[in-house]
Amino acid sequence: MAAISPSPIQSLQLARRALAEDAPLPDGVLPAHLQRSWERTRAAGMRPDDQALFHHAVSYEEMSRIREAHHALIELAMGDLEALWRSMRSPHWVILLTNTDGTIVHSIGHHELAPRELRLPLRCGRRLLEREIGTNAPAIVTREPAAIEVRGGEHFLDELHRFSCAAAPIFDLNGQLAGVLDVTGFDAPRDARVFNRVRMAALSIESRMYEQAKTGFLISLHEDPRFIGTPVQGLVLAREDGVVMSANRAAADMLGIQGTDLRSALHLSQVFDQESLQRLRDIRAPRERGIGATMPGSIHAVNGAQFYCDVKALSGASKRGSSSARQQLRGPDPQWQTEFERASRVFAHGLPVLLQGETGTGKEWFARALHETHRPGKPFVAINCAALAEGVAEAELFGHVEGAYTGSRKGGASGQLEQAHGGTLFLDEIGDMSATLQTRLLRVLQERSVTRLGASKELKLDVLVVSATHRELAELVSAGKFREDLYFRLNGLKARLPALRERQDFDALIDECVDETAIDGRPARLPGDVRRLLQAYTWPGNLRQLRHALHVASLLAGPGGEISVYMLPEELRATGGAAKSAKEVVTQASSSHDAHNSNPIQSRDVVHREWIMRALAEHDGNISAAAKALGISRTTLYKYRGH
């Protein structure tokens, strides 16, 4: 009699029993990607009964820094993130966007009503790494880029058994992982559609990358014309001379394009037959057709397959919401302009630039402005040297070949240095780089080549280098904490960025931040007393702190509403002697509202509830913290919240 295969539940029980007994995982009882993740997690020293969910707090300053560092990815993905959230419509789900290191860079959820297991740990800045939180979908996708689900007991940690998550990779135009999109639920009802929603949203974000390309033309294709313009369409980005610059996963599958083809100057004549090429040539003169014009029709691949297609001529001017870093942050400030012009002159000749300035002064924006001026359309790779995790930093920077170390990716992977080839490498917080990595980086910059871990072949590297630090590198060199030869290699020209309190365009930056945080296209209004308070503050966190403060205030004010002094952070209110208690604010607002309303009891309830909801928003839904700030009991807070 044939043996009866265990059910999925029985298989999971067998695997968990092996974990509990610290025995090898039996083969075939878990999907391969889950088994590999469990084995990596156990090798990192974690046990199923470990408590890890609430052990990693992230400061607001760190959240702001991470959001600023990933602003381009967040802006690109925001429309799809919001659409995905609208499709969920439940406080038991949260939408997460992570970078390639597994760090959450943006989240969307019903933070007021969500369970604390979603609301508190799954915030911007939290790392979803296997070695810190065990098996989870985003962590697996960063290691093995493919859409997956992890449900309940499939998580390694017992603590996560009430969670379910589905994640999908987001690839850039070079076929490299750019981020991970994830939907995570806690005690959420089972929904078989979640996986497909996440996968389609990730594909849609990738499509947006192609649509925002600056030059060339974009071919959209599919066997079924109804799928043109949807996330499942194939996309081919080509130069005016017909050389293929990029193809998304769908197009690569349809046309049989391999990654090696794209790296060897693949031409459209190698993909489509001559008649189809003639049709495509009609749009190679965008001045005659007009930017953004399309040409529907059908074409044939050299393998005989027929596809329906649209072809669009591209231009950087047509990018939705485009505004360069140079335009956004140069402003009329004379020192900023002088430093940028000096740096730009030497950067144009390939010399490195070292940026120094306080935290939050916009060093990455400055670097991006240099990049957009001198290497537009090329890779811009930003590396936070202070956040490079020990043990995996070398693999992240230099890449690796298959089998280079335990847990290395099948087929190997390129490192961040290699990904910057042809573009700009931005080394943020360079003063915090370890001595070992300083030595390896020096060799890369000297030889202009990089060698992957486990490989012997050197790969040529063409990069322009911008480094940044808030520390004095010369003092670190004197103290023996930074290599002198690396310092001179990076210090082609030193540019000092002015602190926010020193800038002459401060008022313009305030207005810019308010406009950036507009809700539904309606920016909040900023009265004179609030502006004067902003001007009086010293801003130790500089631009990053200003943006964060005005973002929170705009959310509290609502679309087109007026920002009041009491919507600003406590440290700003104290500057102007305006640090009233939240309870006094409620009383004052209530009295003012009563004077203009014929039903004072009803109006008082409305105002009380408004301020309670704002207090909850300020404290991320924490009932106790909001009640304490308002000077009322939890019972009173619940009463008005329910009105």
Side-chain angles (χ1 to χ4, degrees):
M1 178 181 292
I4 300 176
S5 300
S7 68
I9 293 178
Q10 291 171 329
S11 296
L12 190 58
Q13 290 172 341
L14 288 172
R16 299 213 69 85
R17 188 178 305 129
L19 279 185
E21 297 171 354
D22 202 21
L25 294 174
D27 291 332
V29 297
L30 285 178
H33 65 272
L34 277 180
Q35 179 158 340
R36 289 191 294 270
S37 178
W38 279 24
E39 289 171 344
R40 289 192 298 264
T41 301
R42 185 156 64 173
M46 297 202 74
R47 296 180 53 84
D49 58 356
D50 284 346
Q51 301 290 306
L53 196 58
F54 295 98
H55 286 189
H56 299 273
V58 182
S59 68
Y60 281 104
E61 183 179 4
E62 179 67 4
M63 290 183 193
S64 298
R65 188 198 65 76
I66 289 171
R67 290 192 187 101
E68 183 178 338
H70 296 87
H71 68 94
L73 177 62
I74 295 170
E75 181 181 356
L76 181 76
M78 186 58 72
D80 291 290
L81 296 180
E82 291 176 343
L84 184 58
W85 168 240
R86 288 194 296 270
S87 75
M88 307 303 294
R89 284 293 187 189
S90 167
H92 292 275
W93 293 99
V94 64
I95 313 298
L96 304 175
L97 178 66
T98 82
N99 64 10
T100 56
D101 300 325
T103 300
I104 299 173
V105 301
H106 193 72
S107 67
I108 298 178
H110 203 313
H111 298 300
E112 178 195 348
L113 301 177
R116 64 188 293 270
E117 288 81 1
L118 287 181
R119 186 180 67 250
L120 298 180
L122 299 183
R123 304 169 68 183
C124 177
R126 178 62 188 267
R127 296 190 303 268
L128 304 179
L129 304 176
E130 290 172 330
R131 66 175 181 271
E132 292 185 6
I133 200 172
T135 295
N136 62 87
I140 296 177
V141 174
T142 60
R143 301 293 297 266
E144 307 177 25
I148 61 161
E149 285 184 284
V150 178
R151 295 175 173 170
E154 294 175 342
H155 292 88
F156 183 89
L157 293 185
D158 299 336
E159 187 180 25
L160 302 184
H161 284 192
R162 294 168 67 183
F163 285 81
S164 58
C165 49
I170 301 168
F171 292 102
D172 63 19
L173 299 186
N174 297 316
Q176 300 292 329
L177 186 68
V180 176
L181 179 61
D182 171 76
V183 172
T184 292
F186 180 80
D187 283 345
R190 188 181 182 93
D191 188 342
R193 299 169 297 175
V194 168
F195 179 73
N196 279 332
R197 286 173 178 167
V198 173
R199 195 167 57 87
M200 289 298 105
L203 291 174
S204 178
I205 294 169
E206 291 178 10
S207 296
R208 204 178 305 279
M209 290 184 186
Y210 280 83
E211 292 165 0
Q212 293 190 356
K214 293 185 176 182
T215 58
F217 55 94
L218 184 64
I219 305 170
S220 308
L221 61 131
H222 200 279
E223 295 94 338
D224 188 329
R226 294 173 297 179
F227 291 107
I228 298 292
T230 71
V232 298
Q233 68 183 343
L235 292 170
V236 177
L237 180 63
R239 295 192 326 218
E240 295 299 327
D241 60 4
V243 173
V244 177
M245 294 186 285
S246 182
N248 71 354
R249 288 173 282 171
D253 289 341
M254 294 177 196
L255 301 171
I257 297 174
Q258 305 295 324
T260 52
D261 296 332
L262 295 176
R263 290 193 290 272
S264 58
L266 179 71
H267 195 274
L268 289 174
S269 61
Q270 298 170 263
V271 181
F272 301 109
D273 64 20
Q274 290 300 314
E275 183 178 348
S276 298
L277 283 177
Q278 186 58 50
R279 290 178 59 80
L280 294 174
R281 289 191 184 100
D282 292 341
I283 57 100
R284 289 177 61 181
R287 287 182 301 237
E288 298 175 12
R289 293 178 48 82
I291 296 299
T294 61
M295 181 193 71
S298 62
I299 52 178
H300 291 82
V302 292
N303 60 12
Q306 176 178 322
F307 302 100
Y308 292 89
C309 76
D310 271 355
V311 184
K312 180 187 296 184
L314 299 174
S315 167
S318 65
K319 287 176 63 177
R320 181 179 62 86
S322 74
S323 57
S324 71
R326 182 178 179 181
Q327 291 172 326
Q328 287 186 349
L329 277 182
R330 276 190 65 186
D333 181 74
Q335 185 177 349
W336 177 276
Q337 291 188 35
T338 298
E339 292 297 284
F340 184 85
E341 288 164 3
R342 290 176 62 242
S344 185
R345 282 196 292 271
V346 303
F347 195 68
H349 293 280
L351 292 177
V353 173
L354 174 62
L355 305 179
Q356 295 207 267
E358 296 177 8
T359 298
T361 49
K363 292 186 284 291
E364 182 170 349
W365 285 92
F366 194 102
R368 286 183 182 276
L370 289 174
H371 170 75
E372 290 176 5
T373 301
H374 299 286
R375 288 201 166 178
K378 302 295 184 181
F380 178 89
V381 176
I383 299 173
N384 183 356
C385 301
L388 290 172
E390 289 294 333
V392 297
E394 287 195 85
E396 291 177 2
L397 285 176
F398 304 102
H400 66 272
V401 297
E402 183 175 346
Y405 57 89
T406 302
S408 60
R409 187 177 299 175
K410 184 178 181 181
S414 61
Q416 292 172 301
L417 298 177
E418 187 179 336
Q419 292 165 20
H421 179 66
T424 301
L425 178 66
F426 176 55
L427 301 169
D428 197 11
E429 300 299 350
I430 187 67
D432 296 304
M433 177 175 276
S434 70
T436 301
L437 291 181
Q438 287 181 37
T439 301
R440 288 212 60 184
L441 176 63
L442 176 64
R443 177 174 174 79
V444 168
L445 297 180
Q446 286 175 335
E447 304 296 332
R448 290 289 165 174
S449 64
V450 63
T451 304
R452 295 185 180 184
L453 292 182
S456 57
K457 179 182 178 182
E458 292 186 344
L459 303 172
K460 289 298 180 183
L461 191 63
D462 169 26
V463 292
L464 295 179
V465 179
V466 183
S467 51
T469 179
H470 67 283
R471 309 175 70 180
E472 288 292 341
L473 285 190
E475 294 178 4
L476 294 178
V477 170
S478 299
K481 297 180 180 179
F482 197 85
R483 291 188 61 120
E484 185 176 36
D485 43 7
L486 179 58
Y487 172 62
F488 289 119
R489 175 69 62 174
L490 297 173
N491 190 19
L493 177 136
K494 184 182 296 180
R496 288 194 175 273
L497 274 60
L500 181 58
R501 60 186 173 275
E502 300 168 347
R503 292 185 61 151
Q504 297 181 24
D505 58 345
F506 184 72
D507 276 342
L509 290 172
I510 291 176
D511 294 334
E512 177 186 305
C513 290
V514 173
D515 290 341
E516 284 178 356
T517 56
I519 303 172
D520 298 331
R522 297 167 60 193
R525 290 176 285 112
L526 199 68
D529 60 333
V530 175
R531 186 179 292 273
R532 286 190 293 273
L533 193 58
L534 296 175
Q535 293 167 338
Y537 188 58
T538 56
W539 297 104
N542 291 290
L543 284 165
R544 185 181 300 125
Q545 185 185 11
L546 174 66
R547 278 197 172 87
H548 180 68
L550 289 176
H551 187 193
V552 171
S554 294
L555 290 173
L556 295 176
E562 183 173 277
I563 294 176
S564 74
V565 168
Y566 309 107
M567 295 175 187
L568 299 176
E570 183 178 349
E571 59 268 23
L572 268 76
R573 302 200 301 268
T575 300
K580 294 183 180 180
S581 72
K583 186 176 182 179
E584 290 177 302
V585 173
V586 173
T587 303
Q588 176 182 325
S590 176
S591 300
S592 174
H593 201 287
D594 288 351
H596 297 85
N597 195 297
S598 60
N599 188 342
I601 295 177
Q602 181 181 12
S603 65
R604 188 159 46 245
D605 286 347
V606 170
V607 174
H608 282 181
R609 185 176 187 278
E610 176 184 350
W611 281 100
I612 283 170
M613 298 305 287
R614 290 182 179 181
L616 284 168
E618 279 191 304
H619 293 85
D620 295 315
N622 187 312
I623 300 285
S624 298
K628 183 178 180 181
L630 291 167
I632 61 178
S633 69
R634 289 167 56 99
T635 302
T636 303
L637 187 147
Y638 278 118
K639 170 188 172 183
Y640 283 109
R641 181 187 180 195
H643 282 180

